[in-house]
Amino acid sequence: MDKTVRTRFAPSPTGFMHIGNLRTGLYAYLFARHNGGKFILRIEDTDRERMVEGAEEMVYRTLAAAGIEYDEGPDRDGGCGPYIQSERAGIYREYAEKLVELGGAYYCFCTKERLEGLHGENGTHTYDRHCRGLSAAEARARIAAGEPYVIRQKVPDGIVSSYTDMVFGEISVSSDDIEDGVLLKSDGMPTYNFANVVDDHLMGITHVIRGTEYLSSTPKYNLIYDAFGWERPQYMHLPPIMKDAARKLSKRYGDANFEDFIAKGYLPQAVVNYVALLGWCPKNNAEKMTMAEMIDAFGVDGISVSSSIFDEAKMRWLNGEYLKAMSEEEFFAAAKPWIERSKAGGKFDEREIARLMQTRVDVLGEIPDKIDFLDEFGPYDLSMYEHKKMKVDIEVAKKAVEVSIGAIERVAEWTEDGIKQAVAAAAEEAGMKGGQVMFSMRVALTGQPSTPGGAIEMAAVLGREESMRRLRFSAKLLKEHTAAE
């Protein structure tokens, strides 16, 4: 590429960071970094009625969590600011009036009532170009008289506006199908159609990356570039992300929010990795990739023209792979807040719980449900000791639990290895199979039919004192049961 690549991410602060928006920003970032270029953040807040308090801060927070670093933005001036559109109103007015002088736009004084009375095909309000023929002198006089107005694009008649999209190829639209849309509203704020063109030009954006909803309207934007005599950027339009074959991903159908997924216990880097694969496939078909690896592999030729299905099960799997690849210390740091919010938090060895969980969860948010049972020990159904394959019944379990108690009493070093060796030796001395003792011991320690670890792991988590208390409690239950019979 001849000049420095400059891409931009221009979210509107009208709500949370939808997964589709995040992907757009991510691809713009990957493309810029892959080509040694710059990535710019611009806040498009001209739709004042739809703005949500705190949404702008959420944009910065999300990008930071996702590891998407912008080179220029509201807090990083690269000489093209301001980077917040509401602070650029004077710029838009200047260029809108210049476009009128160049013949690419005109002043329109039509009232709201008149516009609402216009009906095109299918009941749409299609502007009839009523003010297009006004002379410059009449327009100036009406403006001087204080009459409200907007500035509209003057779309040329009878031409075809074409461009080559980097993903979808040649796109052409007849100018006869393009309305003379509003560029500058009566309050002096620009429409998206105008602001993004002016900003992209003034900020030197070389590649515009956005969703396919703009695929067919881009020829309209290109006519503005042409009217100014500006060089058009290159375009890369991205197919939609779908909830299923019929519905686009939407907050109406569940979690489509980056921060919601983080709150559920997904790792930011795993979410970003998965989002990258929604519509793009690297040449080596890799699935788990670091940001550096994605930057190195990213290319337009890997982007699909087809929509992609958001599959949370696949993202869960990928997140699980990230958790398994962590060091023990890294996983403990990530898991600790989730352990602390469980019923077992603060009551048992949290490092042992983390070690137990690392290969047994795909999402950190699963941890509380999986370990709450540790704090819920009490009278339980003794039928859980019945196991035909292990050849365990109440009588066998009664003996096995007593053997376990003896084993625990002799453990010198309270580690999984130390506990395991003591239990194995005690079982052998008692003439019992190790599996019988281990199975019975696990039930006696937890009162559960299944647990995310065996007897040894459970004992290590519970600690010597609590393990002994529970084993003695269970031995008493078993003894009372056989006495009652």
Side-chain angles (χ1 to χ4, degrees):
M1 298 181 182
D2 297 330
K3 57 183 178 180
T4 300
V5 167
R6 288 174 62 86
T7 67
R8 49 79 164 173
F9 179 45
S12 299
T14 55
F16 59 63
M17 182 71 77
H18 188 279
I19 288 297
N21 293 343
L22 179 62
R23 184 189 65 173
T24 298
L26 176 62
Y27 282 14
Y29 172 74
L30 294 176
F31 184 80
R33 289 289 182 267
H34 180 82
N35 291 288
K38 300 290 185 180
F39 175 65
I40 292 86
L41 173 64
R42 185 171 74 224
I43 303 297
E44 298 197 340
D45 62 344
T46 56
D47 191 346
R48 310 301 290 178
E49 293 181 0
R50 293 180 59 230
M51 284 184 61
V52 173
E53 186 176 353
E56 184 178 329
E57 290 71 22
M58 177 275 303
V59 171
Y60 305 131
R61 195 167 59 240
T62 297
L63 292 179
I68 299 174
E69 302 173 355
Y70 51 95
D71 300 291
E72 299 174 27
D75 58 343
R76 300 174 195 176
D77 191 356
C80 298
Y83 295 86
I84 297 177
Q85 286 190 333
S86 59
E87 299 175 8
R88 297 171 63 83
I91 296 173
Y92 303 128
R93 177 170 292 281
E94 174 190 347
Y95 278 92
E97 291 175 348
K98 183 176 182 180
L99 191 60
V100 173
E101 295 174 10
L102 292 170
Y106 59 94
Y107 297 104
C108 172
F109 301 89
C110 292
T111 64
K112 181 180 179 181
E113 291 71 27
R114 181 180 188 279
L115 294 174
E116 289 178 346
L118 299 174
H119 294 285
E121 295 181 8
N122 303 318
T124 58
H125 298 283
T126 303
Y127 185 59
D128 61 358
R129 297 181 169 182
H130 178 72
C131 295
R132 183 165 167 143
L134 293 177
S135 67
E138 182 179 352
R140 283 196 297 271
R142 294 175 73 169
I143 292 172
E147 193 171 340
Y149 67 92
V150 300
I151 295 180
R152 288 184 178 274
Q153 182 178 5
K154 184 182 285 186
V155 177
D157 291 319
I159 67 168
V160 175
S161 181
S162 302
Y163 72 99
T164 301
D165 184 77
M166 297 173 72
V167 176
F168 289 88
E170 190 76 10
I171 304 294
S172 299
V173 175
S174 170
S175 64
D176 297 336
D177 297 325
I178 301 177
E179 184 181 14
D180 283 8
V182 174
L183 301 181
L184 197 73
K185 295 179 284 188
S186 58
D187 63 1
M189 294 301 286
T191 58
Y192 170 85
N193 301 337
F194 188 59
N196 87 88
V197 170
V198 172
D199 288 345
D200 286 344
H201 172 72
L202 295 181
M203 294 181 182
I205 303 304
T206 61
H207 296 77
V208 172
I209 300 171
R210 59 191 174 202
T212 50
E213 61 268 30
Y214 297 108
L215 192 65
S216 61
S217 56
T218 293
K220 172 172 59 180
Y221 309 147
N222 283 337
L223 292 174
I224 299 175
Y225 280 100
D226 296 347
F228 275 118
W230 293 342
E231 182 181 355
R232 298 177 181 180
Q234 294 188 58
Y235 298 99
M236 184 192 307
H237 287 91
L238 310 175
I241 301 173
M242 308 293 285
K243 175 72 174 180
D244 53 38
R247 301 176 298 176
K248 285 186 179 181
L249 189 66
S250 166
K251 61 183 178 182
R252 290 177 298 170
Y253 302 130
D255 289 324
N257 176 348
F258 175 80
E259 290 195 329
D260 273 355
F261 285 122
I262 304 309
K264 287 171 66 174
Y266 284 89
L267 298 173
Q269 61 269 38
V271 176
V272 170
N273 187 163
Y274 179 69
V275 168
L277 300 174
L278 290 172
W280 170 66
C281 181
K283 290 181 179 179
N284 63 359
N285 294 315
E287 290 186 303
K288 183 174 180 290
M289 293 177 284
T290 64
M291 184 68 84
E293 288 169 338
M294 288 190 283
I295 290 171
D296 184 61
F298 193 78
V300 183
D301 54 352
I303 298 177
S304 172
V305 298
S306 303
S307 59
S308 52
I309 303 293
F310 184 86
D311 182 359
E312 189 171 350
K314 179 66 177 293
M315 189 168 74
R316 288 177 69 88
W317 167 81
L318 185 59
N319 196 76
E321 294 300 297
Y322 271 85
L323 295 179
K324 292 177 180 66
M326 284 178 159
S327 69
E328 190 173 302
E329 197 61 37
E330 287 171 336
F331 183 81
F332 176 67
K336 194 173 190 296
W338 296 92
I339 296 171
E340 290 175 344
R341 73 178 62 177
S342 74
K343 293 177 182 178
K347 298 177 182 178
F348 306 104
D349 189 322
E350 293 183 346
R351 285 191 175 273
E352 286 295 338
I353 291 176
R355 289 183 59 238
L356 184 69
M357 290 291 103
Q358 185 163 6
T359 59
R360 291 181 169 90
V361 294
D362 288 326
V363 179
L364 293 169
E366 297 173 347
I367 290 175
D369 283 344
K370 287 186 178 289
I371 65 174
D372 278 347
F373 76 90
L374 291 170
D375 189 50
E376 297 170 346
F377 185 76
Y380 54 86
D381 186 351
L382 296 183
S383 66
M384 285 187 286
Y385 285 107
E386 302 283 350
H387 197 300
K388 289 183 179 179
K389 190 175 181 180
M390 289 279 191
K391 295 183 179 179
V392 176
D393 56 21
I394 299 298
E395 285 300 321
V396 172
K398 182 180 174 183
K399 182 180 179 182
V401 172
E402 291 294 343
V403 169
S404 302
I405 292 172
I408 294 304
E409 289 175 335
R410 71 170 77 170
V411 176
E413 187 178 353
W414 196 259
T415 62
E416 286 189 10
D417 283 343
I419 299 166
K420 185 176 181 179
Q421 290 174 18
V423 173
E428 186 176 354
E429 289 173 13
M432 296 190 72
K433 292 182 178 179
Q436 291 177 316
V437 176
M438 295 290 190
F439 171 78
S440 302
M441 181 179 171
R442 182 178 61 79
V443 176
L445 286 169
T446 65
Q448 299 290 320
S450 62
T451 56
I456 305 305
E457 291 166 309
M458 292 296 97
V461 166
L462 293 169
R464 186 193 300 270
E465 185 177 331
E466 180 64 13
S467 294
M468 187 62 78
R469 186 188 74 80
R470 293 187 179 202
L471 288 172
R472 286 173 175 158
F473 175 86
S474 295
K476 185 170 179 290
L477 282 184
L478 289 163
K479 185 177 181 180
E480 290 173 348
H481 174 80
T482 54
E485 291 186 340

